[in-house]
């Protein structure tokens, strides 16, 4: 329901006009209050190297622990603030919390890279790099190379040259970028060419259906080839079963994330999950197929 609200956010001034605008203002105020009251939490989803079974990194995913409506996923509130200045304080909190969690993991003897989603709005801020440096400087135990930032292909990157410079500047102090939901935007190839992101995350829609849909499989094969040609790491999202994982290994895509491996979970549960996780026997010894 709230998702629909999000989709209709450009229609707030039509027929229902005034009332909807007021609703939107009260929603924005509620989100602002929720940031102050610390009602947001991060869950983390593992990204696994299918060759070794080792944990490669985790992706931080925000949730809203709403006092009345329970745990809300990002689809229920991020669309409401997309392009709005409120994304900045929320994402600042998310970045800081992910870095703090990384430090808590370090305290537990666990050094794992964490990936944080960033909106286009954030990346277009002129002081973004400076704020990122400050966030890292105030947490001196965090190795910047353990931080990855994900940028959505579909987030309106109206100033590609600026975002490209931002990515290069971040690379200078070790923070790398991933192109998220690759293949769903209008300009995937342009982004691939112009944005020096180290990693590509192929969108889950292609991965989910690759076992039934030859077109999705063809797209996947194409992206695997492109990632290799551009020397980018490739992650497959939406790995919902070990059959998907096996196919990915055979195609030559080794980093995987999806419900078939693990759902997003609270940070303190992750260490325990990782100590219990092993590569299923169905994947052991599985290798990339030689392809002509
Ligand atoms: P995303 O960055 O592409 O994150 C992956 C989403 O796919 C997550 O949904 C995850 O729970 C879901 N997912 C993972 N594996 C599977 C699977 O095997 N099957 C299915 N059906 N889904 C799977 P979530 O947490 O609802 O997040 C949705 C989107 O919201 C994210 O997509 C990202 O674009 C955005 N988002 C989430 N957290 C943040 C954040 O902290 N900041 C920003 N700017 N955006 C965020
Ligand atoms: Mg992401
Ligand atoms: Mg994605
Ligand atoms: Mg997505």
């Amino acid at each position: 329901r709230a998702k629909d609200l999000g989709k209709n956010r450009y229609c707030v001034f039509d027929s229902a006009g005034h009332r909807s605008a007021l609703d939107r203002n009260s929603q924005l105020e509620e989100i602002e209050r929720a940031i102050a009251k610390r009602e947001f939490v991060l869950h983390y989803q593992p990204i696994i190297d299918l060759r070794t079974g080792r944990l490669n990194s985790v992706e931080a995913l925000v949730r809203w622990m709403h006092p009345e409506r329970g745990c809300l996923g990002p689809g229920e509130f991020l669309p409401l603030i997309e392009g709005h200045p409120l994304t900045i304080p929320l994402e600042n909190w998310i970045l800081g919390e992910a870095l703090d969690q990384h430090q808590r993991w370090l305290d537990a003897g666990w050094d794992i890279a964490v990936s944080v989603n960033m909106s286009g709005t954030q990346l277009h801020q002129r002081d973004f790099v400076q704020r990122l440096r400050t966030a890292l400087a105030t947490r001196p135990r965090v190795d910047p190379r353990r931080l990855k930032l994900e940028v959505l292909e579909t987030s309106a990157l109206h100033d590609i040259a600026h975002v490209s410079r931002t990515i290069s500047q971040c690379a200078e102090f070790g923070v790398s970028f991933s192109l998220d939901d690759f293949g769903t935007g209008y300009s995937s190839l342009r982004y691939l060419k112009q944005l020096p992101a180290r990693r590509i995350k192929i969108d889950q829609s292609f991965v989910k259906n690759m076992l039934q849909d030859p077109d999705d499989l063809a797209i996947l094969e194409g992206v695997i080839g492109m990632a290799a040609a551009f020397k980018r790491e490739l992650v497959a999202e939406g790995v919902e079963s070990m059959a998907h994982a096996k196919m990915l290994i055979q195609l030559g895509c080794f980093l995987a994330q999806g419900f078939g491996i693990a759902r997003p979970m609270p940070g303190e549960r992750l260490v325990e999950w990782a100590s219990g996780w092993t590569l299923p026997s169905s994947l052991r010894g599985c290798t990339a197929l030689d392809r002509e």
Side-chain angles (χ1 to χ4, degrees):
R1 202 181 17 85
K3 222 171 205 160
D4 299 331
L5 276 176
K7 277 200 191 109
N8 292 335
R9 66 194 178 281
Y10 295 117
C11 307
V12 287
F13 293 110
D14 65 15
S15 57
H18 189 55
R19 208 185 111 79
S20 304
L22 282 179
D23 284 352
R24 178 162 197 246
N25 280 338
S26 65
Q27 283 165 339
L28 291 172
E29 277 168 22
E30 202 193 350
I31 292 175
E32 200 170 3
R33 269 199 309 273
I35 300 173
K37 290 190 333 211
R38 306 195 158 264
E39 289 175 6
F40 292 97
V41 299
L42 297 183
H43 284 183
Y44 299 85
Q45 189 178 29
I47 298 172
I48 290 292
D49 188 325
L50 295 172
R51 284 166 297 197
T52 58
R54 280 230 285 277
L55 188 58
N56 168 274
S57 49
V58 296
E59 177 174 11
L61 296 159
V62 68
R63 273 93 183 92
W64 182 358
M65 296 304 179
H66 194 285
E68 282 115 45
R69 295 164 66 204
C71 177
L72 304 179
E76 303 201 57
F77 54 91
L78 289 184
L80 297 169
I81 57 170
E82 192 182 313
H84 189 276
L86 210 48
T87 52
I88 306 300
L90 179 59
E91 290 188 348
N92 287 345
W93 177 83
I94 290 169
L95 177 67
E97 172 58 22
L99 293 173
D100 289 343
Q101 176 63 69
H102 178 80
Q103 292 202 134
R104 291 194 289 276
W105 285 325
L106 285 179
D107 292 337
W110 211 53
D111 186 0
I112 188 71
V114 56
S115 197
V116 179
N117 293 283
M118 284 289 145
S119 67
T121 309
Q122 178 77 271
L123 291 175
H124 283 105
Q125 299 293 307
R126 294 288 144 179
D127 64 345
F128 172 73
V129 175
Q130 194 43 55
R131 278 189 289 116
L132 179 60
R133 295 190 81 118
T134 306
L136 286 162
T138 53
R139 296 169 183 90
R141 287 159 54 230
V142 177
D143 178 347
R145 288 170 302 181
R146 293 287 182 271
L147 176 65
K148 299 176 189 301
L149 299 176
E150 300 194 4
V151 51
L152 268 190
E153 254 220 348
T154 45
S155 61
L157 299 182
H158 48 83
D159 189 350
I160 287 208
H162 174 71
V163 174
S164 170
R165 272 196 308 278
T166 299
I167 294 178
S168 302
Q169 283 166 9
C170 292
E172 281 168 26
F173 55 93
V175 175
S176 64
F177 275 73
S178 309
L179 288 183
D180 202 357
D181 294 6
F182 187 79
T184 57
Y186 296 110
S187 37
S188 306
L189 298 182
R190 185 157 163 244
Y191 284 177
L192 177 61
K193 183 175 167 195
Q194 296 191 0
L195 297 179
R198 182 174 304 163
R199 182 174 268 199
I200 296 171
K201 297 185 79 175
I202 184 161
D203 189 64
Q204 50 178 291
S205 59
F206 306 115
V207 178
K208 260 186 210 168
N209 301 323
M210 70 179 172
L211 300 174
Q212 303 89 15
D213 186 337
D215 292 337
D216 283 331
L217 184 63
I219 289 174
L220 198 70
E221 291 185 285
V223 174
I224 291 170
M226 261 189 301
F230 279 84
K231 301 193 166 57
R232 313 295 175 91
E233 288 176 351
L234 184 64
V235 178
E237 307 192 280
V239 179
E240 294 197 338
S241 72
M242 285 308 132
H244 288 83
K246 189 167 187 175
M247 176 67 102
L248 287 166
I249 297 175
Q250 289 172 340
L251 294 171
C253 175
F254 305 114
L255 297 179
Q257 173 180 1
F259 292 172
I261 297 161
R263 292 192 172 245
M265 64 189 98
E268 62 276 10
R269 262 222 334 258
L270 194 78
V271 184
E272 190 192 321
W273 176 85
S275 64
W277 156 264
T278 48
L279 202 61
S281 54
S282 63
L283 297 184
R284 288 197 208 119
C286 188
T287 53
L289 299 176
D290 275 337
R291 298 157 65 243
E292 324 275 286

